[in-house]
Amino acid sequence: MKTAREITERILRERGIVSQEDISEFLSDRPQRTYDPFLLLNMEAGVDLLLSEAEAGHRICIYGDYDADGVTSICVLSRILSMLTDNFTYYIPSRFDEGYGLNMDAIAEIRRAGTDLLVTVDCGSVSYDEVEYAKALGMKVIVTDHHNVEDVKADCILINPKQPGCGYPFKELAGCGVAFKMVQAICRRKGFPKSVINDVLDMTAIGTVGDIVSLIDENRTIVKYGLDRINKGRRKSLKMLTEAISLKTVTSESIAFGIAPHINAAGRMASAREAAELFLSDDSCLMEERVKRLVALNSKRKKAQEEAYSRCMEMVTGDERFIVLRTEDIHEGIAGIVAGKIKDTENRPVIIVTPSGEGCLKGTGRSIENVDIFALLKKHDELFLRFGGHRSACGFLMKEENLPQLRRVLDEEIRLLEEADPYFMERDISWEAELAPAEVTVELARELERLQPFGKDNPRPLFMMDGVILQQVRFMGEGETHAAFKAVDADGRMAECILFRKAQEEKEALTSGRSVDLVGTVSLKEWMGRESAQFIVEEIM
């Protein structure tokens, strides 16, 4: 039998973390991997301009995005600006009326309000025309962002680790991560105490996890310290939110599936400003109102999402290689989530399009691992009025008359991929190590928890338990959709197992008495004050 530490270190080596120094850093409760903020191209110029504008008493506006990354980015930068000036504000565009990123009408409104310096967070890198318009109106512009920079880029002070020529050693910061580095840089320049940086670690961690960026390297450091701060309850508004949604100990997973969706619900169903107001306010009554509002909006979002998913699944025939669904009445704020859920169910790329007026359709896409949806659509960008995205997600605006052609070209693109690799769309069930039932122990579960925070590029480890017999099977839950059982090997050693949601579709495998292979994760189970280890089954083969 392998020890818990041997299993953990093997997983780290498989993930490319080989040296003892790197392993110790990865497992440390107080990681040190962070970089000089002035290594970011244009950071020095950006800090100099922001400080000079604040000292001159000029009005500053932070322009963000309507998702969790954008909202937390605004909160992070507002903290440092509040120490420099009281002449600043923020602006979050409407998902429904304005869409993502800078837009001309908003820029004009911001200038009419007296803004002298416009600072973007989580957007703006490729907004050349919009930045030129802001400059023509007499504003100075700093863009802080983390999205890919392709084609033309904004002609201003641009701070983005992914822009050409930037030598920053870690490229995967979220938008709030770039804002956080600006806070670090200003604190260093002004000699502010380290407590100012610590104050924004919680918001930076939430935005980083919420934007599904890589949880390795510097992001891992940010999220670990941020989680520590969140769990100490240092921010009253955040503590009120976690209590309202029944989170006791906050992890990266509870941010991803609890906190971030509640922040996103504001932008999806109403206005993201409501989420920003929660975290920027010192008024307990306002905080309480905003927490209740976010909980209500998230419940509304979930109900709308479930209804839309059911309607869309009725439209899926099973024949489409690339699923393109035209719907009339799906709420614009949840179309992307629904597309993602259908993608997970069908294991095919999915686009949902809805009418947006004047003979146009707005589209939202989500893709499987082996299909770069951005690259596919980029090849046919003549079909779109506006288009953006990345490998796994995209958004666009197009004339309705182009929809049949879009369906044709996407079907042909998938055919070409199938000719190159007939199996490229099959689900890839992979695991990182094999486990015997006797190795599913409390010690291993605790050791694996040291790999937290889990997320992109650092998932919970998947294990294979092969050649086991399932015994003492007990079906649970409404509709008996869950099952608890024991996995027993040839030597009679056993492990406690649980299967969620799939018990009915796996009923034959659960009750046949034949030898099966299990793929799943190991976790701690607490019951009546006692700890035990359980194997959470993902697949039965």
Side-chain angles (χ1 to χ4, degrees), residues 50 59-65 70 73-82 88-93 110 115 117-122 144 179 273 280:
L50 190 147
R59 187 164 180 79
I60 301 170
C61 179
I62 310 169
Y63 189 109
D65 187 21
S73 297
I74 286 171
C75 295
V76 168
L77 208 54
S78 292
R79 174 68 179 95
I80 198 71
L81 279 177
S82 69
F88 77 95
T89 187
Y90 66 92
Y91 186 95
I92 306 176
I110 289 166
T115 295
L117 172 63
L118 180 64
V119 185
T120 77
V121 288
D122 193 31
T144 74
R273 193 174 183 92
L280 292 173

PDB file of all heavy atoms in Angstrom, residues 50 59-65 70 73-82 88-93 110 115 117-122 144 179 273 280:
ATOM      1  N   LEU A  50      -2.260  57.836 -12.722  1.00  0.00           N
ATOM      2  CA  LEU A  50      -3.353  57.772 -11.753  1.00  0.00           C
ATOM      3  C   LEU A  50      -3.052  58.643 -10.535  1.00  0.00           C
ATOM      4  O   LEU A  50      -3.916  59.392 -10.061  1.00  0.00           O
ATOM      5  CB  LEU A  50      -3.600  56.321 -11.346  1.00  0.00           C
ATOM      6  CG  LEU A  50      -4.870  56.060 -10.531  1.00  0.00           C
ATOM      7  CD1 LEU A  50      -5.443  54.685 -10.848  1.00  0.00           C
ATOM      8  CD2 LEU A  50      -4.625  56.163  -9.039  1.00  0.00           C
ATOM      9  N   ARG A  59     -11.382  64.200 -11.693  1.00  0.00           N
ATOM     10  CA  ARG A  59     -12.363  63.129 -11.483  1.00  0.00           C
ATOM     11  C   ARG A  59     -11.919  61.860 -12.209  1.00  0.00           C
ATOM     12  O   ARG A  59     -11.532  61.894 -13.382  1.00  0.00           O
ATOM     13  CB  ARG A  59     -13.737  63.558 -11.982  1.00  0.00           C
ATOM     14  CG  ARG A  59     -14.850  62.553 -11.629  1.00  0.00           C
ATOM     15  CD  ARG A  59     -16.206  63.205 -11.804  1.00  0.00           C
ATOM     16  NE  ARG A  59     -17.307  62.306 -11.498  1.00  0.00           N
ATOM     17  CZ  ARG A  59     -17.731  62.013 -10.272  1.00  0.00           C
ATOM     18  NH1 ARG A  59     -17.115  62.540  -9.219  1.00  0.00           N
ATOM     19  NH2 ARG A  59     -18.758  61.208 -10.075  1.00  0.00           N
ATOM     20  N   ILE A  60     -12.015  60.735 -11.511  1.00  0.00           N
ATOM     21  CA  ILE A  60     -11.603  59.429 -12.038  1.00  0.00           C
ATOM     22  C   ILE A  60     -12.813  58.507 -12.062  1.00  0.00           C
ATOM     23  O   ILE A  60     -13.598  58.475 -11.112  1.00  0.00           O
ATOM     24  CB  ILE A  60     -10.482  58.812 -11.168  1.00  0.00           C
ATOM     25  CG1 ILE A  60      -9.257  59.744 -11.136  1.00  0.00           C
ATOM     26  CG2 ILE A  60     -10.092  57.424 -11.676  1.00  0.00           C
ATOM     27  CD1 ILE A  60      -8.213  59.340 -10.127  1.00  0.00           C
ATOM     28  N   CYS A  61     -12.971  57.759 -13.148  1.00  0.00           N
ATOM     29  CA  CYS A  61     -14.051  56.768 -13.247  1.00  0.00           C
ATOM     30  C   CYS A  61     -13.464  55.402 -13.554  1.00  0.00           C
ATOM     31  O   CYS A  61     -12.681  55.250 -14.496  1.00  0.00           O
ATOM     32  CB  CYS A  61     -15.049  57.160 -14.335  1.00  0.00           C
ATOM     33  SG  CYS A  61     -16.407  55.964 -14.545  1.00  0.00           S
ATOM     34  N   ILE A  62     -13.844  54.408 -12.752  1.00  0.00           N
ATOM     35  CA  ILE A  62     -13.465  53.010 -13.007  1.00  0.00           C
ATOM     36  C   ILE A  62     -14.578  52.384 -13.848  1.00  0.00           C
ATOM     37  O   ILE A  62     -15.750  52.422 -13.470  1.00  0.00           O
ATOM     38  CB  ILE A  62     -13.313  52.215 -11.704  1.00  0.00           C
ATOM     39  CG1 ILE A  62     -12.418  52.940 -10.707  1.00  0.00           C
ATOM     40  CG2 ILE A  62     -12.765  50.813 -11.995  1.00  0.00           C
ATOM     41  CD1 ILE A  62     -12.455  52.330  -9.314  1.00  0.00           C
ATOM     42  N   TYR A  63     -14.199  51.795 -14.979  1.00  0.00           N
ATOM     43  CA  TYR A  63     -15.182  51.187 -15.885  1.00  0.00           C
ATOM     44  C   TYR A  63     -14.965  49.678 -15.872  1.00  0.00           C
ATOM     45  O   TYR A  63     -13.900  49.194 -16.261  1.00  0.00           O
ATOM     46  CB  TYR A  63     -14.977  51.740 -17.300  1.00  0.00           C
ATOM     47  CG  TYR A  63     -16.047  51.366 -18.299  1.00  0.00           C
ATOM     48  CD1 TYR A  63     -16.935  52.320 -18.766  1.00  0.00           C
ATOM     49  CD2 TYR A  63     -16.161  50.074 -18.797  1.00  0.00           C
ATOM     50  CE1 TYR A  63     -17.913  52.006 -19.716  1.00  0.00           C
ATOM     51  CE2 TYR A  63     -17.130  49.739 -19.729  1.00  0.00           C
ATOM     52  CZ  TYR A  63     -18.005  50.703 -20.186  1.00  0.00           C
ATOM     53  OH  TYR A  63     -18.964  50.384 -21.106  1.00  0.00           O
ATOM     54  N   GLY A  64     -15.971  48.931 -15.394  1.00  0.00           N
ATOM     55  CA  GLY A  64     -15.799  47.490 -15.221  1.00  0.00           C
ATOM     56  C   GLY A  64     -16.709  46.657 -16.082  1.00  0.00           C
ATOM     57  O   GLY A  64     -17.353  47.143 -17.004  1.00  0.00           O
ATOM     58  N   ASP A  65     -16.774  45.369 -15.760  1.00  0.00           N
ATOM     59  CA  ASP A  65     -17.633  44.428 -16.456  1.00  0.00           C
ATOM     60  C   ASP A  65     -18.726  43.999 -15.488  1.00  0.00           C
ATOM     61  O   ASP A  65     -18.633  44.211 -14.275  1.00  0.00           O
ATOM     62  CB  ASP A  65     -16.807  43.228 -16.939  1.00  0.00           C
ATOM     63  CG  ASP A  65     -17.593  42.281 -17.829  1.00  0.00           C
ATOM     64  OD1 ASP A  65     -18.617  42.724 -18.389  1.00  0.00           O
ATOM     65  OD2 ASP A  65     -17.194  41.114 -17.971  1.00  0.00           O
ATOM     66  N   GLY A  70     -15.429  41.442 -12.996  1.00  0.00           N
ATOM     67  CA  GLY A  70     -15.549  42.885 -13.155  1.00  0.00           C
ATOM     68  C   GLY A  70     -15.961  43.582 -11.873  1.00  0.00           C
ATOM     69  O   GLY A  70     -15.402  44.625 -11.503  1.00  0.00           O
ATOM     70  N   SER A  73     -13.133  43.519  -9.400  1.00  0.00           N
ATOM     71  CA  SER A  73     -12.072  44.413  -9.864  1.00  0.00           C
ATOM     72  C   SER A  73     -12.369  45.859  -9.469  1.00  0.00           C
ATOM     73  O   SER A  73     -11.480  46.600  -9.033  1.00  0.00           O
ATOM     74  CB  SER A  73     -11.918  44.322 -11.383  1.00  0.00           C
ATOM     75  OG  SER A  73     -11.527  43.037 -11.792  1.00  0.00           O
ATOM     76  N   ILE A  74     -13.630  46.251  -9.625  1.00  0.00           N
ATOM     77  CA  ILE A  74     -14.038  47.604  -9.221  1.00  0.00           C
ATOM     78  C   ILE A  74     -13.831  47.799  -7.726  1.00  0.00           C
ATOM     79  O   ILE A  74     -13.325  48.829  -7.279  1.00  0.00           O
ATOM     80  CB  ILE A  74     -15.509  47.848  -9.620  1.00  0.00           C
ATOM     81  CG1 ILE A  74     -15.604  48.059 -11.134  1.00  0.00           C
ATOM     82  CG2 ILE A  74     -16.091  49.045  -8.876  1.00  0.00           C
ATOM     83  CD1 ILE A  74     -17.017  48.091 -11.658  1.00  0.00           C
ATOM     84  N   CYS A  75     -14.197  46.780  -6.938  1.00  0.00           N
ATOM     85  CA  CYS A  75     -14.028  46.875  -5.478  1.00  0.00           C
ATOM     86  C   CYS A  75     -12.556  46.985  -5.098  1.00  0.00           C
ATOM     87  O   CYS A  75     -12.188  47.751  -4.204  1.00  0.00           O
ATOM     88  CB  CYS A  75     -14.650  45.657  -4.801  1.00  0.00           C
ATOM     89  SG  CYS A  75     -16.441  45.543  -5.003  1.00  0.00           S
ATOM     90  N   VAL A  76     -11.701  46.221  -5.780  1.00  0.00           N
ATOM     91  CA  VAL A  76     -10.264  46.238  -5.484  1.00  0.00           C
ATOM     92  C   VAL A  76      -9.674  47.611  -5.772  1.00  0.00           C
ATOM     93  O   VAL A  76      -8.971  48.201  -4.938  1.00  0.00           O
ATOM     94  CB  VAL A  76      -9.541  45.149  -6.309  1.00  0.00           C
ATOM     95  CG1 VAL A  76      -8.030  45.331  -6.263  1.00  0.00           C
ATOM     96  CG2 VAL A  76      -9.911  43.760  -5.790  1.00  0.00           C
ATOM     97  N   LEU A  77      -9.959  48.162  -6.950  1.00  0.00           N
ATOM     98  CA  LEU A  77      -9.377  49.451  -7.318  1.00  0.00           C
ATOM     99  C   LEU A  77     -10.000  50.600  -6.532  1.00  0.00           C
ATOM    100  O   LEU A  77      -9.324  51.598  -6.223  1.00  0.00           O
ATOM    101  CB  LEU A  77      -9.534  49.683  -8.821  1.00  0.00           C
ATOM    102  CG  LEU A  77      -8.469  50.568  -9.475  1.00  0.00           C
ATOM    103  CD1 LEU A  77      -7.057  50.068  -9.182  1.00  0.00           C
ATOM    104  CD2 LEU A  77      -8.697  50.649 -10.983  1.00  0.00           C
ATOM    105  N   SER A  78     -11.272  50.470  -6.164  1.00  0.00           N
ATOM    106  CA  SER A  78     -11.925  51.509  -5.362  1.00  0.00           C
ATOM    107  C   SER A  78     -11.266  51.649  -4.002  1.00  0.00           C
ATOM    108  O   SER A  78     -11.188  52.755  -3.454  1.00  0.00           O
ATOM    109  CB  SER A  78     -13.418  51.190  -5.185  1.00  0.00           C
ATOM    110  OG  SER A  78     -14.114  51.294  -6.394  1.00  0.00           O
ATOM    111  N   ARG A  79     -10.782  50.534  -3.452  1.00  0.00           N
ATOM    112  CA  ARG A  79     -10.137  50.588  -2.128  1.00  0.00           C
ATOM    113  C   ARG A  79      -8.921  51.506  -2.151  1.00  0.00           C
ATOM    114  O   ARG A  79      -8.753  52.347  -1.263  1.00  0.00           O
ATOM    115  CB  ARG A  79      -9.714  49.176  -1.702  1.00  0.00           C
ATOM    116  CG  ARG A  79      -8.898  49.120  -0.405  1.00  0.00           C
ATOM    117  CD  ARG A  79      -9.734  49.495   0.789  1.00  0.00           C
ATOM    118  NE  ARG A  79      -8.990  49.422   2.035  1.00  0.00           N
ATOM    119  CZ  ARG A  79      -8.381  50.450   2.620  1.00  0.00           C
ATOM    120  NH1 ARG A  79      -8.417  51.653   2.058  1.00  0.00           N
ATOM    121  NH2 ARG A  79      -7.741  50.299   3.766  1.00  0.00           N
ATOM    122  N   ILE A  80      -8.078  51.377  -3.166  1.00  0.00           N
ATOM    123  CA  ILE A  80      -6.878  52.200  -3.201  1.00  0.00           C
ATOM    124  C   ILE A  80      -7.212  53.631  -3.595  1.00  0.00           C
ATOM    125  O   ILE A  80      -6.615  54.587  -3.085  1.00  0.00           O
ATOM    126  CB  ILE A  80      -5.812  51.588  -4.142  1.00  0.00           C
ATOM    127  CG1 ILE A  80      -4.433  52.178  -3.861  1.00  0.00           C
ATOM    128  CG2 ILE A  80      -6.168  51.750  -5.600  1.00  0.00           C
ATOM    129  CD1 ILE A  80      -3.827  51.729  -2.562  1.00  0.00           C
ATOM    130  N   LEU A  81      -8.196  53.817  -4.491  1.00  0.00           N
ATOM    131  CA  LEU A  81      -8.567  55.175  -4.875  1.00  0.00           C
ATOM    132  C   LEU A  81      -9.156  55.946  -3.704  1.00  0.00           C
ATOM    133  O   LEU A  81      -8.960  57.162  -3.580  1.00  0.00           O
ATOM    134  CB  LEU A  81      -9.564  55.143  -6.039  1.00  0.00           C
ATOM    135  CG  LEU A  81      -8.979  54.945  -7.432  1.00  0.00           C
ATOM    136  CD1 LEU A  81     -10.082  54.869  -8.479  1.00  0.00           C
ATOM    137  CD2 LEU A  81      -8.009  56.061  -7.782  1.00  0.00           C
ATOM    138  N   SER A  82      -9.870  55.248  -2.823  1.00  0.00           N
ATOM    139  CA  SER A  82     -10.466  55.918  -1.663  1.00  0.00           C
ATOM    140  C   SER A  82      -9.405  56.483  -0.730  1.00  0.00           C
ATOM    141  O   SER A  82      -9.699  57.377   0.071  1.00  0.00           O
ATOM    142  CB  SER A  82     -11.368  54.944  -0.897  1.00  0.00           C
ATOM    143  OG  SER A  82     -10.600  53.928  -0.249  1.00  0.00           O
ATOM    144  N   PHE A  88     -13.987  60.202  -7.202  1.00  0.00           N
ATOM    145  CA  PHE A  88     -13.997  59.087  -8.157  1.00  0.00           C
ATOM    146  C   PHE A  88     -15.334  58.369  -8.100  1.00  0.00           C
ATOM    147  O   PHE A  88     -16.079  58.476  -7.117  1.00  0.00           O
ATOM    148  CB  PHE A  88     -12.850  58.107  -7.891  1.00  0.00           C
ATOM    149  CG  PHE A  88     -13.067  57.189  -6.720  1.00  0.00           C
ATOM    150  CD1 PHE A  88     -13.589  55.912  -6.897  1.00  0.00           C
ATOM    151  CD2 PHE A  88     -12.749  57.582  -5.419  1.00  0.00           C
ATOM    152  CE1 PHE A  88     -13.791  55.053  -5.830  1.00  0.00           C
ATOM    153  CE2 PHE A  88     -12.934  56.733  -4.343  1.00  0.00           C
ATOM    154  CZ  PHE A  88     -13.464  55.459  -4.544  1.00  0.00           C
ATOM    155  N   THR A  89     -15.628  57.656  -9.160  1.00  0.00           N
ATOM    156  CA  THR A  89     -16.861  56.896  -9.246  1.00  0.00           C
ATOM    157  C   THR A  89     -16.592  55.635 -10.065  1.00  0.00           C
ATOM    158  O   THR A  89     -15.444  55.362 -10.429  1.00  0.00           O
ATOM    159  CB  THR A  89     -17.985  57.734  -9.895  1.00  0.00           C
ATOM    160  OG1 THR A  89     -19.231  57.016  -9.820  1.00  0.00           O
ATOM    161  CG2 THR A  89     -17.671  58.048 -11.351  1.00  0.00           C
ATOM    162  N   TYR A  90     -17.630  54.862 -10.342  1.00  0.00           N
ATOM    163  CA  TYR A  90     -17.461  53.680 -11.184  1.00  0.00           C
ATOM    164  C   TYR A  90     -18.676  53.523 -12.098  1.00  0.00           C
ATOM    165  O   TYR A  90     -19.751  54.075 -11.830  1.00  0.00           O
ATOM    166  CB  TYR A  90     -17.237  52.421 -10.345  1.00  0.00           C
ATOM    167  CG  TYR A  90     -18.416  51.999  -9.487  1.00  0.00           C
ATOM    168  CD1 TYR A  90     -19.361  51.093  -9.957  1.00  0.00           C
ATOM    169  CD2 TYR A  90     -18.573  52.500  -8.189  1.00  0.00           C
ATOM    170  CE1 TYR A  90     -20.436  50.700  -9.177  1.00  0.00           C
ATOM    171  CE2 TYR A  90     -19.640  52.111  -7.401  1.00  0.00           C
ATOM    172  CZ  TYR A  90     -20.571  51.213  -7.895  1.00  0.00           C
ATOM    173  OH  TYR A  90     -21.635  50.835  -7.125  1.00  0.00           O
ATOM    174  N   TYR A  91     -18.465  52.765 -13.156  1.00  0.00           N
ATOM    175  CA  TYR A  91     -19.534  52.543 -14.149  1.00  0.00           C
ATOM    176  C   TYR A  91     -19.490  51.081 -14.581  1.00  0.00           C
ATOM    177  O   TYR A  91     -18.420  50.559 -14.908  1.00  0.00           O
ATOM    178  CB  TYR A  91     -19.325  53.447 -15.368  1.00  0.00           C
ATOM    179  CG  TYR A  91     -20.447  53.388 -16.374  1.00  0.00           C
ATOM    180  CD1 TYR A  91     -21.478  54.319 -16.343  1.00  0.00           C
ATOM    181  CD2 TYR A  91     -20.486  52.399 -17.364  1.00  0.00           C
ATOM    182  CE1 TYR A  91     -22.518  54.270 -17.268  1.00  0.00           C
ATOM    183  CE2 TYR A  91     -21.529  52.340 -18.282  1.00  0.00           C
ATOM    184  CZ  TYR A  91     -22.535  53.282 -18.230  1.00  0.00           C
ATOM    185  OH  TYR A  91     -23.563  53.231 -19.139  1.00  0.00           O
ATOM    186  N   ILE A  92     -20.668  50.425 -14.555  1.00  0.00           N
ATOM    187  CA  ILE A  92     -20.788  49.052 -15.046  1.00  0.00           C
ATOM    188  C   ILE A  92     -21.840  49.044 -16.140  1.00  0.00           C
ATOM    189  O   ILE A  92     -22.991  49.401 -15.894  1.00  0.00           O
ATOM    190  CB  ILE A  92     -21.194  48.071 -13.931  1.00  0.00           C
ATOM    191  CG1 ILE A  92     -20.244  48.166 -12.735  1.00  0.00           C
ATOM    192  CG2 ILE A  92     -21.231  46.645 -14.468  1.00  0.00           C
ATOM    193  CD1 ILE A  92     -20.645  47.300 -11.546  1.00  0.00           C
ATOM    194  N   PRO A  93     -21.492  48.666 -17.361  1.00  0.00           N
ATOM    195  CA  PRO A  93     -22.479  48.656 -18.443  1.00  0.00           C
ATOM    196  C   PRO A  93     -23.550  47.594 -18.215  1.00  0.00           C
ATOM    197  O   PRO A  93     -23.344  46.615 -17.504  1.00  0.00           O
ATOM    198  CB  PRO A  93     -21.648  48.335 -19.685  1.00  0.00           C
ATOM    199  CG  PRO A  93     -20.465  47.577 -19.161  1.00  0.00           C
ATOM    200  CD  PRO A  93     -20.168  48.169 -17.820  1.00  0.00           C
ATOM    201  N   ILE A 110     -20.059  59.309 -19.284  1.00  0.00           N
ATOM    202  CA  ILE A 110     -19.014  59.430 -18.258  1.00  0.00           C
ATOM    203  C   ILE A 110     -18.296  60.774 -18.385  1.00  0.00           C
ATOM    204  O   ILE A 110     -17.994  61.434 -17.384  1.00  0.00           O
ATOM    205  CB  ILE A 110     -18.025  58.252 -18.390  1.00  0.00           C
ATOM    206  CG1 ILE A 110     -18.699  56.958 -17.929  1.00  0.00           C
ATOM    207  CG2 ILE A 110     -16.754  58.499 -17.584  1.00  0.00           C
ATOM    208  CD1 ILE A 110     -17.960  55.696 -18.326  1.00  0.00           C
ATOM    209  N   THR A 115     -15.705  63.360 -15.849  1.00  0.00           N
ATOM    210  CA  THR A 115     -14.541  62.477 -15.697  1.00  0.00           C
ATOM    211  C   THR A 115     -13.362  62.988 -16.524  1.00  0.00           C
ATOM    212  O   THR A 115     -13.509  63.349 -17.693  1.00  0.00           O
ATOM    213  CB  THR A 115     -14.897  61.050 -16.125  1.00  0.00           C
ATOM    214  OG1 THR A 115     -15.875  60.528 -15.221  1.00  0.00           O
ATOM    215  CG2 THR A 115     -13.675  60.138 -16.109  1.00  0.00           C
ATOM    216  N   LEU A 117     -10.135  61.115 -16.030  1.00  0.00           N
ATOM    217  CA  LEU A 117      -9.348  59.899 -16.243  1.00  0.00           C
ATOM    218  C   LEU A 117     -10.273  58.690 -16.190  1.00  0.00           C
ATOM    219  O   LEU A 117     -10.980  58.482 -15.193  1.00  0.00           O
ATOM    220  CB  LEU A 117      -8.266  59.752 -15.167  1.00  0.00           C
ATOM    221  CG  LEU A 117      -7.486  58.424 -15.162  1.00  0.00           C
ATOM    222  CD1 LEU A 117      -6.703  58.256 -16.471  1.00  0.00           C
ATOM    223  CD2 LEU A 117      -6.548  58.353 -13.964  1.00  0.00           C
ATOM    224  N   LEU A 118     -10.274  57.916 -17.266  1.00  0.00           N
ATOM    225  CA  LEU A 118     -11.055  56.693 -17.336  1.00  0.00           C
ATOM    226  C   LEU A 118     -10.114  55.505 -17.148  1.00  0.00           C
ATOM    227  O   LEU A 118      -9.127  55.371 -17.872  1.00  0.00           O
ATOM    228  CB  LEU A 118     -11.745  56.600 -18.700  1.00  0.00           C
ATOM    229  CG  LEU A 118     -12.629  55.382 -18.967  1.00  0.00           C
ATOM    230  CD1 LEU A 118     -13.828  55.368 -18.031  1.00  0.00           C
ATOM    231  CD2 LEU A 118     -13.100  55.381 -20.423  1.00  0.00           C
ATOM    232  N   VAL A 119     -10.405  54.668 -16.156  1.00  0.00           N
ATOM    233  CA  VAL A 119      -9.596  53.483 -15.878  1.00  0.00           C
ATOM    234  C   VAL A 119     -10.479  52.258 -16.044  1.00  0.00           C
ATOM    235  O   VAL A 119     -11.457  52.080 -15.319  1.00  0.00           O
ATOM    236  CB  VAL A 119      -9.011  53.504 -14.450  1.00  0.00           C
ATOM    237  CG1 VAL A 119      -8.084  52.306 -14.241  1.00  0.00           C
ATOM    238  CG2 VAL A 119      -8.268  54.798 -14.174  1.00  0.00           C
ATOM    239  N   THR A 120     -10.162  51.400 -17.002  1.00  0.00           N
ATOM    240  CA  THR A 120     -10.950  50.185 -17.171  1.00  0.00           C
ATOM    241  C   THR A 120     -10.378  49.057 -16.322  1.00  0.00           C
ATOM    242  O   THR A 120      -9.179  49.018 -16.040  1.00  0.00           O
ATOM    243  CB  THR A 120     -10.990  49.702 -18.636  1.00  0.00           C
ATOM    244  OG1 THR A 120      -9.755  49.056 -18.965  1.00  0.00           O
ATOM    245  CG2 THR A 120     -11.259  50.840 -19.597  1.00  0.00           C
ATOM    246  N   VAL A 121     -11.267  48.149 -15.933  1.00  0.00           N
ATOM    247  CA  VAL A 121     -10.852  46.904 -15.289  1.00  0.00           C
ATOM    248  C   VAL A 121     -11.573  45.766 -15.990  1.00  0.00           C
ATOM    249  O   VAL A 121     -12.761  45.857 -16.306  1.00  0.00           O
ATOM    250  CB  VAL A 121     -11.166  46.890 -13.771  1.00  0.00           C
ATOM    251  CG1 VAL A 121     -10.241  47.821 -13.010  1.00  0.00           C
ATOM    252  CG2 VAL A 121     -12.621  47.264 -13.485  1.00  0.00           C
ATOM    253  N   ASP A 122     -10.831  44.704 -16.310  1.00  0.00           N
ATOM    254  CA  ASP A 122     -11.401  43.494 -16.911  1.00  0.00           C
ATOM    255  C   ASP A 122     -11.983  43.738 -18.305  1.00  0.00           C
ATOM    256  O   ASP A 122     -12.822  42.983 -18.758  1.00  0.00           O
ATOM    257  CB  ASP A 122     -12.475  42.902 -15.981  1.00  0.00           C
ATOM    258  CG  ASP A 122     -12.885  41.485 -16.371  1.00  0.00           C
ATOM    259  OD1 ASP A 122     -12.034  40.757 -16.910  1.00  0.00           O
ATOM    260  OD2 ASP A 122     -14.056  41.126 -16.148  1.00  0.00           O
ATOM    261  N   THR A 144      -6.755  48.402 -17.823  1.00  0.00           N
ATOM    262  CA  THR A 144      -6.221  47.223 -17.127  1.00  0.00           C
ATOM    263  C   THR A 144      -7.122  46.047 -17.495  1.00  0.00           C
ATOM    264  O   THR A 144      -8.345  46.139 -17.411  1.00  0.00           O
ATOM    265  CB  THR A 144      -6.170  47.406 -15.595  1.00  0.00           C
ATOM    266  OG1 THR A 144      -7.490  47.324 -15.034  1.00  0.00           O
ATOM    267  CG2 THR A 144      -5.552  48.744 -15.233  1.00  0.00           C
ATOM    268  N   ALA A 179      -5.905  44.313 -11.446  1.00  0.00           N
ATOM    269  CA  ALA A 179      -6.245  45.433 -10.561  1.00  0.00           C
ATOM    270  C   ALA A 179      -5.497  45.312  -9.232  1.00  0.00           C
ATOM    271  O   ALA A 179      -5.014  46.312  -8.675  1.00  0.00           O
ATOM    272  CB  ALA A 179      -7.754  45.473 -10.332  1.00  0.00           C
ATOM    273  N   ARG A 273     -24.543  46.544 -10.680  1.00  0.00           N
ATOM    274  CA  ARG A 273     -24.270  47.599  -9.693  1.00  0.00           C
ATOM    275  C   ARG A 273     -24.772  47.202  -8.306  1.00  0.00           C
ATOM    276  O   ARG A 273     -24.196  47.596  -7.294  1.00  0.00           O
ATOM    277  CB  ARG A 273     -24.909  48.912 -10.145  1.00  0.00           C
ATOM    278  CG  ARG A 273     -24.413  50.110  -9.359  1.00  0.00           C
ATOM    279  CD  ARG A 273     -24.935  51.429  -9.915  1.00  0.00           C
ATOM    280  NE  ARG A 273     -24.363  52.540  -9.169  1.00  0.00           N
ATOM    281  CZ  ARG A 273     -23.254  53.175  -9.499  1.00  0.00           C
ATOM    282  NH1 ARG A 273     -22.592  52.811 -10.589  1.00  0.00           N
ATOM    283  NH2 ARG A 273     -22.783  54.167  -8.762  1.00  0.00           N
ATOM    284  N   LEU A 280     -19.152  47.656  -1.533  1.00  0.00           N
ATOM    285  CA  LEU A 280     -18.550  48.983  -1.389  1.00  0.00           C
ATOM    286  C   LEU A 280     -19.209  49.806  -0.282  1.00  0.00           C
ATOM    287  O   LEU A 280     -18.680  50.846   0.113  1.00  0.00           O
ATOM    288  CB  LEU A 280     -18.638  49.750  -2.710  1.00  0.00           C
ATOM    289  CG  LEU A 280     -17.767  49.198  -3.849  1.00  0.00           C
ATOM    290  CD1 LEU A 280     -18.074  49.920  -5.152  1.00  0.00           C
ATOM    291  CD2 LEU A 280     -16.285  49.333  -3.512  1.00  0.00           C
TER     292      LEU A 280
END
